[in-house]
Amino acid sequence: MAIRIAIIGAGVAGCGAARRAAELGADVTLIEQNHPGTGSSGRSAGVYNIQTLDPLDVEIRIHARELFFRLERDRGLHLSRIGNVRVATDESQLPRLQAVIDLQHQLGADDSILLDRDGLHRLVPDLNVTDLVGGLLGPNDGHLDGQQLCDVLLAEATESGATLRSRTKVTGHHVTPDGHHALQLDGEVDTFDLVINAAGGWAGKVGVLLGHPVPLLPQVHEVVQVKLPHQLDYVVPMVNLYMPGQAGEALYFRQDGPDSLIAGMHTYTVLDHIAVADPDDYRTKVSEEYLYEVAEHLTERFRVDGLGFKPGWTGIYPLSPDSRFILGPESDPTVVTCAGLGGVGVTMGAIAGATAAEWALNGTPTTVPSTIALRPDRESLDAFRNQPNHSEVRT
C-alpha cells in the first residue's frame, strides 16, 4: 500500500511537493484553505532568476529554472524572458558576481553575462548608472505568473495520482496510538503517514497545530504600478539593486506591460521597521508612504520624465529569523517543514517543495543534497525556538 502523505498549502512550494511526492509513488493529498496559488505565490512580482550569491541558492535556482523551461515546453507555462540583472554598486562586488558565473557554469548554466557600467547603460538606456559599476545579467531570466505555475505543477501532480482538497482548512491534529497523523479537515478526520507543512505565511500557525512550531516572521511587502508616458524602444529587464547580504532593502523594477512597469523594495532579511503580520489579517493596500518612497527611488534611478505611480498590491514575505529556508524533518521525522521562503518562493519554491517530499519519503534530499544545511534543527534557529511563547507572538 502506498504511503499516505498530506501536504498543507498549495502555493508553489506545496504544489512542487505534491508533484514530487506523487512522482515518488506516494498517495498524496494536497490541502489548501482557499484555492491553489491564491496566497503569497499569486501576490508576488513573479520574478525568476539564477542571479544570486549564495552557492546553495544558486543551485536550487538552476534546478528550478530548468523545471520552468520544461514546463514552458511541455505545459505551456508562460515565461517572459525579459532578462534579470543584479546590479553592483561597488567594484568589490564584481569578483563575487564573476564567482557566481563560474559556479553556474559548473552546474550547467552558461548564459549569464558580467556587465560593466557601459553594458548596463546599453541594456537599460534610461538607467542612471553614475554610481553603478556593473551587474550580472541573466538573459533567459524574467518573470512568470505564480498562479499559472501552481496550476501546471498541480496538473502534473494530479496526473500522477495526487488529490487536491481546496477550500479545506486544517483545524486540528493529533497522533494516533499507531503513530499516524489524524488531521481534522473542516469537521472530518483523515489520517496520514506523513505531513509536509508548506503553508507559506501560515506555516507558523500550522506548525503549532502539528506540535512542531515553526520560527516564522511574516512581513508585508508591497508592489507599486508605474505608468510610462510612452512606450519605450526597448524592454526594461528586471533590474534589482538589492545585493544579497546588504543591510535593509533596495529598489527593483521591471517591465510589466507595453507602457507599464512594476516596482518595489526587495530584501532577503527581516526588517526591523516592518511589523510581523498575521496572515489572516494583514494590510492589503499599498501605503501612501511606501508609494512615495518607491516613486522617489525610481525617479532618481530611471530617468524617464512623466512617470505615473499608483498603488499595486501587497503580499507576505514569510521570512525565517536567520533569513534562510526552513526545510527538512522536525524532531518527529514524519513531519517535514518547508517554510521561510521569503520573497523568493516563486523562483525557488518548486524545488524546495520537491526537496521536502524527498525528505519525507526517502529520508534525505536527492535533487539538491546540500539542502541538508537548511534543516529545522540548525543551531542558528535555536535561540528563537527557545523564546517562550514564540509561536503565539509571531504568528
Side-chain angles (χ1 to χ4, degrees):
M1 182 178 294
I3 294 173
R4 295 203 73 207
I5 183 169
I7 300 167
I8 303 173
V12 172
C15 292
R19 173 189 162 277
R20 182 65 173 136
E23 183 179 62
L24 291 171
D27 179 356
V28 179
T29 300
L30 180 61
I31 304 164
E32 168 57 46
Q33 65 178 344
N34 201 325
H35 294 288
T38 53
S40 297
S41 296
R43 301 183 67 83
S44 73
V47 175
Y48 73 90
N49 69 83
I50 62 172
Q51 317 308 322
T52 193
L53 299 183
D54 180 82
L56 176 54
D57 288 355
V58 172
E59 186 174 3
I60 295 172
R61 289 179 188 223
I62 288 174
H63 280 280
R65 195 179 69 163
E66 287 303 310
L67 175 61
F68 298 162
F69 289 169
R70 184 185 66 74
L71 293 173
E72 178 187 42
R73 182 181 67 249
D74 296 347
R75 298 280 175 173
L77 176 66
H78 178 65
L79 300 180
S80 295
R81 300 193 192 199
I82 62 174
N84 181 97
V85 60
R86 178 82 64 179
V87 175
T89 58
D90 186 276
E91 292 285 349
S92 66
Q93 295 171 341
L94 295 179
R96 298 172 68 194
L97 296 182
Q98 181 59 57
V100 171
I101 292 179
D102 295 341
L103 175 61
Q104 290 172 349
H105 286 181
Q106 293 173 25
L107 296 171
D110 59 2
D111 56 327
S112 294
I113 303 166
L114 189 63
L115 303 175
D116 58 14
R117 181 184 287 115
D118 290 340
L120 278 179
H121 178 68
R122 288 191 296 271
L123 180 69
V124 189
D126 295 298
L127 185 67
N128 177 5
V129 299
T130 54
D131 59 339
L132 307 178
V133 298
L136 181 59
L137 171 65
N140 289 304
D141 296 340
H143 65 94
L144 54 80
D145 181 84
Q147 178 78 62
Q148 189 196 17
L149 176 58
C150 290
D151 289 344
V152 296
L153 291 169
L154 182 57
E156 294 207 338
T158 55
E159 287 175 13
S160 296
T163 299
L164 169 67
R165 293 191 59 169
S166 59
R167 300 190 66 80
T168 301
K169 191 168 185 177
V170 180
T171 57
H173 164 267
H174 68 271
V175 178
T176 65
D178 59 356
H180 291 89
H181 294 276
L183 297 181
Q184 187 169 346
L185 306 174
D186 288 341
E188 63 179 86
V189 175
D190 202 353
T191 58
F192 301 90
D193 302 299
L194 305 168
V195 179
I196 293 176
N197 178 1
W202 289 263
K205 294 189 175 187
V206 170
V208 172
L209 279 177
L210 296 176
H212 296 279
V214 178
L216 199 67
L217 302 170
Q219 294 192 316
V220 175
H221 285 257
E222 306 165 72
V223 177
V224 170
Q225 294 176 304
V226 184
K227 184 74 164 63
L228 295 169
H230 52 81
Q231 290 191 26
L232 305 175
D233 58 4
Y234 64 95
V235 174
V236 180
M238 172 65 179
V239 179
N240 195 341
L241 285 100
Y242 177 77
M243 186 63 67
Q246 77 173 67
E249 55 189 343
L251 178 72
Y252 73 85
F253 59 96
R254 67 162 174 83
Q255 193 96 27
D256 193 44
D259 60 353
S260 65
L261 312 174
I262 63 170
M265 306 297 290
H266 185 55
T267 185
Y268 289 174
T269 63
V270 176
L271 298 175
D272 291 340
H273 69 277
I274 299 180
V276 174
D278 180 346
D280 289 311
D281 184 24
Y282 69 93
R283 175 173 53 83
T284 58
K285 293 184 178 180
V286 174
S287 70
E288 189 173 275
E289 178 184 9
Y290 186 83
L291 182 68
Y292 289 150
E293 179 186 10
V294 171
E296 181 180 6
H297 281 283
L298 187 61
T299 301
E300 172 60 28
R301 183 59 63 188
F302 189 60
R303 297 295 178 83
V304 173
D305 293 334
L307 296 174
F309 298 88
K310 68 176 183 179
W313 61 91
T314 71
I316 285 181
Y317 279 20
L319 294 152
S320 72
D322 66 358
S323 306
R324 306 204 77 193
F325 293 180
I326 304 172
L327 181 56
E330 296 287 351
S331 56
D332 174 357
T334 64
V335 177
V336 173
T337 295
C338 179
L341 275 60
V344 294
V346 166
T347 197
M348 299 172 71
I351 298 303
T355 298
E358 292 164 358
W359 267 118
L361 293 163
N362 296 337
T364 190
T366 52
T367 299
V368 186
S370 49
T371 52
I372 195 169
L374 304 176
R375 287 176 56 119
D377 59 359
R378 62 182 181 266
E379 185 177 352
S380 57
L381 297 180
D382 286 347
F384 187 87
R385 286 185 182 280
N386 293 334
Q387 290 180 12
N389 300 319
H390 77 264
S391 60
E392 288 85 354
V393 172
R394 297 298 188 182
T395 57

